[in-house]
Amino acid sequence: MGTPPLAAYLHTLVTVAAVVLCYRFAISPAVRAIAHRPTPLVLITGVMPAVVLAFLPPPDPGPIRWLVIFVIALLTWQGATSDYDVTEPIGPQRLDKRIFLVLGAASCFWPPALLAWMGVYCGRLRGWKHHAMMPLRLLKAYLAWVLVAAPFAPSGSAPALLLVLGCVSLSHYVKPAWSKARLGPRPWSWVWHNRTHYLMASAYSWGWARFLRPEAVSRALRRVRHLDRPVNVLAMAVEAAGLIAFLDRRLLITVLVATVLFNLAVALASGILFWENIGTNTALAITVGLLPDAEYDTAFGWPAALLVFVVLLLSAADLLWQPWHLGWWDSPFTARVHWRVETASGARQGLYNGFMCPYEREFGRVLGYFLTSEPVLHDHLGIVWDRQLRDLIVQADGDPDRLRDLKKTYGRVQKDEQRAREHVAFLTTMFDRLNSGAPKGPLPRSLHWLKAPGGQLYRWGDLPPYRGDEPVRRITIRYEERCYRPATGDFALLTDDVIHEIDLIPPKPDHGSTSCATSSSTAAPTSESC
């Protein structure tokens, strides 16, 4: 295999630059602009790319076409099978899902339909959330490539497409490595001083794998705590490997497979499941392995690796797209709001985040701190951004008085009466309508196993999970503080207070309108930009 001529490298360089600029200044703003517009306006606006491409020969993405179809199918499955927000009218939501399915099928064969598809998914179906961002950005990059390649480079631009898609994928790992390197005074501070096994302990306290006995988890934590530094080194190496992945095709495949294994390890250790990333990077690795050598020479080697390096640095600086930072210090202390229900038969069950789809992510993370006047020390799963605070939490070793002093000094009260009232109204309306027979989602109960999984697997606790088998007559909201004591390996429940109770009206045959002014304001789409 000979070295490609300079002209081929320049063609690839120019095409990559054009696609990245189109992504940054055309596609991304367009999706953001239409995402929360009414569906008819989204469909009308989505026709714009078709006008540009109507009289031009479509560019040939080669085998990458099958990768794009797979990612479209993956996210269409998630959006079409997610539950309804039953506090809002069901009819329009059902129509949005049907339109979304049609647009997904059309996008597989006609790329301009992707703009409208992304508008519906990110807006009406609330799909623009952390775990779907990488595959969504990959599809935005593909649409940008189509718009650039059709008029200017209908042939020979597939290597540029591969480079851009690889940059989008790998930037979601390089950025966290960069964030971890900036946490301490030295780039290796996180690797040397983070106690990653605390993440496993806090995830267990939060609700992951609570079907396991605490003694078994304690034994496992005592064994793995000696592996913190090797695990940290490996994690940083996998995340940063994208910087050199395009030196060779086999190296790129290896890095992509490593990211898949990394995400599986994260899910096993913490209950955070990036199944969208796992599926997308698996498909991307297979696609790279099937690409013909001669046509993709310019996508590998030193020139390509240097170009990718520059694009990844720009994305890490938030100048192209904005992957999340994902750098923190793990601590063994968690404070969380929990929801419980009492059914019509008197059974008490846990209302875990898996039942709260389409707000599974919000209820699985830190929702509810606005209901309590307790100062909060940390974010999701007990993570903090100050190593000194992490050390002080560890030194407190679960002592309530020392933790109370830390909360007064470092904590922040997030109580908000307005948000609390809206949250209570949301839960009341939701369960009144479910009690009256409103459908929870588009799938019948017999086909519920076809529903796409969530990304926050905190679906276990002190009580069996509520699955909607009975009407609910009372909702109890509790504030809990738990701590893993490293010295003894014990899990301690420090605080368990009832902060609100909601008594529901028994269902009646004519009960339940289809409107709710305050609906889901406390679980609205996140502030992340499309």
Side-chain angles (χ1 to χ4, degrees):
M1 185 172 61
T3 302
L6 178 61
Y9 279 122
L10 290 176
H11 179 271
T12 300
L13 169 62
V14 172
T15 305
V16 168
V19 170
V20 168
L21 290 174
C22 182
Y23 177 107
R24 175 66 178 84
F25 295 106
I27 300 300
S28 196
V31 174
R32 185 163 56 248
I34 67 175
H36 300 293
R37 301 293 187 270
T39 302
L41 183 59
V42 172
L43 296 176
I44 294 171
T45 309
V47 175
M48 290 192 302
V51 176
V52 178
L53 302 173
F55 305 102
L56 297 171
D60 181 14
I64 297 177
R65 174 187 291 110
W66 302 109
L67 166 67
V68 172
I69 291 175
F70 174 80
V71 176
I72 292 173
L74 199 72
L75 296 183
T76 300
W77 173 43
Q78 192 280 325
T81 62
S82 63
D83 287 348
Y84 301 128
D85 179 348
V86 297
T87 69
E88 298 178 355
I90 300 297
Q93 296 180 72
R94 184 181 290 116
L95 178 61
D96 287 337
K97 289 181 181 291
R98 291 173 178 172
I99 293 173
F100 181 64
L101 281 170
V102 172
L103 289 173
S107 299
C108 292
F109 305 99
W110 192 54
L114 270 174
L115 182 59
W117 178 90
M118 287 187 284
V120 175
Y121 182 72
C122 293
R124 308 299 294 177
L125 301 184
R126 307 171 182 87
W128 184 249
K129 295 182 180 180
H130 182 202
H131 291 202
M133 286 181 180
M134 187 271 275
L136 268 172
R137 287 175 174 139
L138 187 146
L139 294 178
K140 291 202 287 187
Y142 174 70
L143 181 57
W145 173 81
V146 170
L147 292 179
V148 169
F152 302 113
S155 62
S157 59
L161 173 61
L162 176 61
L163 285 168
V164 173
L165 298 186
C167 287
V168 170
S169 170
L170 297 174
S171 66
H172 290 76
Y173 300 90
V174 172
K175 177 68 168 291
W178 179 73
S179 301
K180 293 178 178 68
R182 299 174 65 239
L183 272 177
R186 297 176 179 84
W188 57 86
S189 294
W190 181 87
V191 169
W192 201 252
H193 296 292
N194 190 55
R195 301 295 176 253
T196 305
H197 74 284
Y198 289 162
L199 177 64
M200 301 171 63
S202 294
Y204 182 75
S205 296
W206 207 264
W208 165 236
R210 288 282 294 280
F211 51 83
L212 298 174
R213 293 177 58 83
E215 296 82 5
V217 176
S218 295
R219 286 195 299 269
L221 290 172
R222 281 195 293 270
R223 292 190 181 101
V224 302
R225 65 184 178 184
H226 304 294
L227 301 176
D228 281 342
R229 285 171 181 164
V231 167
N232 293 347
V233 170
L234 187 59
M236 285 279 282
V238 170
E239 290 178 329
L243 294 170
I244 60 170
F246 277 88
L247 285 172
D248 180 79
R249 178 199 296 259
R250 288 168 296 183
L251 179 58
L252 175 59
I253 295 173
T254 301
V255 171
L256 290 170
V257 171
T259 63
V260 170
L261 297 176
F262 173 75
N263 284 132
L264 289 171
V266 168
L268 183 63
S270 69
I272 302 174
L273 177 61
F274 283 85
W275 64 268
E276 299 93 334
N277 286 24
I278 292 170
T280 299
N281 278 358
T282 299
L284 182 54
I286 294 172
T287 301
V288 172
L290 297 175
L291 294 176
D293 293 336
E295 298 177 26
Y296 289 85
D297 284 352
T298 58
F300 301 101
W302 283 105
L306 181 60
L307 176 59
V308 168
F309 186 86
V310 172
V311 174
L312 290 176
L313 288 185
L314 291 174
S315 67
D318 293 338
L319 297 176
L320 300 178
W321 45 86
Q322 294 83 39
W324 278 32
H325 284 270
L326 300 183
W328 58 74
W329 301 99
D330 294 306
S331 86
F333 172 74
T334 61
R336 190 187 177 195
V337 173
H338 291 266
W339 295 261
R340 296 179 179 179
V341 299
E342 182 179 326
T343 66
S345 66
R348 292 187 301 163
Q349 297 174 338
L351 185 60
Y352 304 125
N353 67 305
F355 186 81
M356 299 306 292
C357 181
Y359 304 115
E360 174 259 357
R361 173 176 170 80
E362 289 83 354
F363 276 83
R365 286 173 52 82
V366 295
L367 185 71
Y369 288 148
F370 50 78
L371 293 161
T372 176
S373 57
E374 288 287 339
V376 179
L377 275 177
H378 57 73
D379 204 88
H380 184 39
L381 298 181
I383 64 175
V384 297
W385 287 269
D386 185 337
R387 181 184 160 196
Q388 179 185 7
L389 175 57
R390 190 281 310 269
D391 292 341
L392 291 172
I393 292 173
V394 173
Q395 292 165 14
D397 197 32
D399 182 84
D401 294 331
R402 296 177 69 179
L403 286 171
R404 189 179 302 110
D405 292 339
L406 288 178
K407 289 195 297 181
K408 289 179 181 179
T409 304
Y410 297 97
R412 184 169 67 90
V413 176
Q414 302 181 29
K415 188 173 180 62
D416 187 320
E417 295 290 350
Q418 177 63 26
R419 294 184 67 192
R421 286 192 295 269
E422 292 172 350
H423 182 71
V424 170
F426 168 74
L427 291 175
T428 302
T429 303
M430 173 182 174
F431 280 93
D432 278 345
R433 293 181 180 175
L434 289 177
N435 288 346
S436 299
K440 183 71 169 65
L443 297 173
R445 290 183 66 89
S446 60
L447 297 179
H448 190 72
W449 58 275
L450 291 175
K451 184 174 180 290
Q456 305 285 328
L457 307 182
Y458 306 110
R459 304 175 181 185
W460 296 272
D462 297 329
L463 297 175
Y466 176 72
R467 304 186 189 279
D469 297 325
E470 289 187 73
V472 171
R473 67 186 185 190
R474 176 175 297 166
I475 302 171
T476 304
I477 307 176
R478 311 179 75 91
Y479 171 80
E480 292 184 0
E481 292 181 352
R482 295 177 182 266
C483 188
Y484 168 71
R485 292 183 169 129
T488 61
D490 297 331
F491 287 91
L493 176 61
L494 307 178
T495 302
D496 184 10
D497 296 332
V498 175
I499 53 179
H500 200 88
E501 289 187 330
I502 306 172
D503 290 315
L504 301 173
I505 302 173
K508 298 178 182 179
D510 60 346
H511 178 73
S513 75
T514 57
S515 64
C516 176
T518 58
S519 69
S520 57
S521 55
T522 62
T526 61
S527 60
E528 304 155 22
S529 170
C530 294

